[in-house]
Amino acid sequence: MAVIEINHPLIQHKMTYLRNKDTDTKTFRENLNEIAKLMTYEVTKSLPVDEVIVETPLMKTTGHVLQDKAIAVVPILRAGLGMVDGIVSLVPTAKIGHIGVYRNEETLEPTYYYCKLPVDIQERKVILVDPMLATGGSAIYAIDYLKNAGVKDIVFMCLVAAPEGIAKVLQTHPDVSIYTAKIDQGLNEHGYIYPGLGDCGDRIFGTK
C-alpha cells in the first residue's frame, strides 16, 4: 500500500511541543490528541458514505452520511490510548477495541497481554493506532491479530515512525497503509526512535 507522511504546518507546530523534553503532561496530552484529530481527516478521506435526503430551510436535497459500521479504532496499549479521543471526537460512532502488547526491552520482541475487540469489527475499517512505530514488532503483532479476527481493511496511524519499522511492516503486511506525522532518522542501539519524543506512554500518563 502506501506510506503517508502528513506534513501539515499545524501538525509540525504541535509536534514540536511533543518533542520538547520540558513539555508538561497536560500540554503533551492535549497536543497529542489534536495531532490525532488532524491526522484523522487524511486517514478517513476514502470512507464510504450513504446518500440520504435532507430537507434544508428551502428545499429537499441529497446529503451524505457515514455508514453505520464505518470504522473501529484500536489502540495498542497503553500509549495508543492517547490518540483515541482525538479520533473519536470526529467520528463519535466509531467502536473502540484494545490490543495490549508491550516490547520486551531485552529482546525488543512484542509480548501480548490483552485484547478486546468489537463483535462486528470484521465489518469495519480499522484504524490501528500507536504513537511510535519503532522496530515494527508491536504493530505487526497487532495487525496479525486483527487479520486473524477477520478484519480485511486496516490502516496504521502513528505520530513518529522509524524507517526500519516502516520497512518491516510493509514487508510483512504490504496491504496496510501507514500514516505518520513524521518519519524520523532511525533507531538507536536500544531500539528507540531518534530524535523521537521519548517514552510516549510515560509522557501521556505522567508515569516518569
Side-chain angles (χ1 to χ4, degrees), residues 21-91:
K21 66 181 180 64
D22 296 322
T23 296
D24 61 73
T25 300
K26 176 178 179 294
T27 304
F28 188 93
R29 194 179 296 152
E30 289 173 348
N31 279 274
L32 174 59
N33 259 301
E34 289 168 359
I35 292 171
K37 181 185 292 188
L38 292 168
M39 293 181 70
T40 300
Y41 282 101
E42 184 70 22
V43 174
T44 59
K45 70 180 183 180
S46 62
L47 285 180
V49 293
D50 292 327
E51 284 191 358
V52 297
I53 300 300
V54 62
E55 190 165 354
T56 77
L58 300 178
M59 61 176 288
K60 290 183 178 180
T61 188
T62 302
H64 299 87
V65 295
L66 290 178
Q67 295 178 358
D68 288 339
K69 297 179 179 181
I71 70 167
V73 182
V74 179
I76 297 177
L77 303 178
R78 64 181 168 146
L81 289 171
M83 301 173 70
V84 172
D85 286 348
I87 301 170
V88 174
S89 67
L90 290 182
V91 193

Side-chain angles (χ1 to χ4, degrees), residues 102-203:
Y102 69 89
R103 184 174 68 173
N104 184 304
E105 296 303 328
E106 294 182 0
T107 65
L108 302 184
E109 293 299 317
T111 301
Y112 165 86
Y113 65 93
Y114 178 78
C115 184
K116 184 72 172 179
L117 300 175
V119 294
D120 60 357
I121 195 163
Q122 302 91 342
E123 303 172 51
R124 296 172 179 266
K125 181 185 188 73
V126 172
I127 303 175
L128 179 66
V129 296
D130 195 355
M132 314 293 282
L133 175 57
T135 63
S138 295
I140 290 170
Y141 186 98
I143 295 168
D144 285 340
Y145 198 106
L146 290 170
K147 287 186 175 181
N148 289 334
V151 179
K152 304 296 184 185
D153 189 357
I154 305 169
V155 296
F156 182 78
M157 176 174 160
C158 63
L159 295 185
V160 178
E164 298 93 327
I166 291 173
K168 192 172 179 181
V169 171
L170 292 181
Q171 180 181 17
T172 310
H173 294 289
D175 57 327
V176 175
S177 291
I178 299 170
Y179 291 80
T180 184
K182 185 65 179 178
I183 300 174
D184 268 5
Q185 295 178 38
L187 299 175
N188 65 16
E189 65 274 17
H190 302 294
Y192 288 98
I193 302 173
Y194 69 90
L197 44 84
D199 188 306
C200 201
D202 283 335
R203 299 192 70 187

